[in-house]
Amino acid sequence: QQQNQQQQQQQALAQKQKQQLVHETREEAFVKAAAANDVEQVRAMLGTVDVNCVVDHKTALIHAAWNGNAEIAGLLLAAGADTEIPNKYHSTPLFLAAANGHLNVVRLLLNHHADPLARGQNDMTCAEVARLQGHPDVAAAIEAAEAQPPAMRPVVQLVPQPTTTAAASTEEEELTLAD
């Protein structure tokens, strides 16, 4: 009888999980696709969801910036993604791209008027976190943008890079900042 109860509990849990999958919202699927670096799914869903939707304190652009996926970031920005929506740690896409050394995404975000002076986790600027994490080229690009008034920031040229195919980070939660 105890075995029957365990089987019933397992079946109930499996049914609940299946229902959760069925009830996944379009917004959840969209943000999940960005987190998984699924360019085609993101492209297919653009126009059917709010490009700035927030799921679990993150937008699709947050995921693209964290993962260094310039292709997805470009699609999102072209569709009107807001560069200043932060995650739950108050870090913007620019801050996260800078922390991870994703120069192409940093340039793309700056080209779309991301605020280079925005402060993220630990009240650090984007340039500070880039330098602290060992990305002086990223810090230099951000500092160059800081020196320009927003309307005067030049359009930057992107250097082609292969799309990231590694499994997406499930969380860009609290950064582990190097000392």
Side-chain angles (χ1 to χ4, degrees):
Q1 185 167 9
Q2 188 178 14
Q3 192 174 20
N4 276 343
Q5 281 182 324
Q6 286 176 342
Q7 285 178 337
Q8 287 174 347
Q9 287 173 344
Q10 288 175 346
Q11 288 173 348
L13 179 60
Q15 183 65 25
K16 184 177 180 181
Q17 289 172 339
K18 186 185 282 187
Q19 287 173 346
Q20 286 174 341
L21 288 176
V22 169
H23 295 303
E24 179 179 74
T25 66
R26 292 192 64 70
E27 289 81 9
E28 289 168 329
F30 179 68
V31 172
K32 207 181 272 187
N37 292 311
D38 188 340
V39 176
E40 294 312 313
Q41 183 67 22
V42 169
R43 182 179 284 119
M45 294 186 79
L46 281 173
T48 68
V49 296
D50 175 5
V51 72
N52 292 312
C53 64
V54 177
V55 176
D56 293 330
H57 308 283
K58 298 174 215 96
T59 62
L61 188 57
I62 287 281
H63 285 291
W66 177 261
N67 293 336
N69 194 315
E71 186 173 3
I72 289 178
L75 289 170
L76 298 169
L77 291 165
D82 186 334
T83 62
E84 302 307 316
I85 298 175
N87 66 8
K88 69 181 174 182
Y89 295 102
H90 311 288
S91 299
T92 63
L94 181 61
F95 185 90
L96 296 169
N100 288 299
H102 302 307
L103 184 58
N104 270 353
V105 176
V106 164
R107 288 179 173 161
L108 184 61
L109 290 164
L110 290 170
N111 193 40
H112 283 83
H113 306 291
D115 182 2
L117 298 172
R119 292 185 175 270
Q121 187 177 331
N122 296 335
D123 200 37
M124 297 177 75
T125 66
C126 298
E128 289 170 340
V129 75
R131 195 169 308 288
L132 182 67
Q133 294 294 93
H135 310 295
D137 54 337
V138 172
I142 294 168
E143 288 163 347
E146 289 173 359
Q148 298 289 325
M152 301 300 294
R153 290 187 192 139
V155 174
V156 295
Q157 295 295 320
L158 294 178
V159 177
Q161 281 187 339
T163 301
T164 306
T165 57
S169 156
T170 57
E171 195 61 67
E172 63 276 348
E173 296 299 336
E174 208 164 344
L175 294 172
T176 305
L177 301 176
D179 289 326

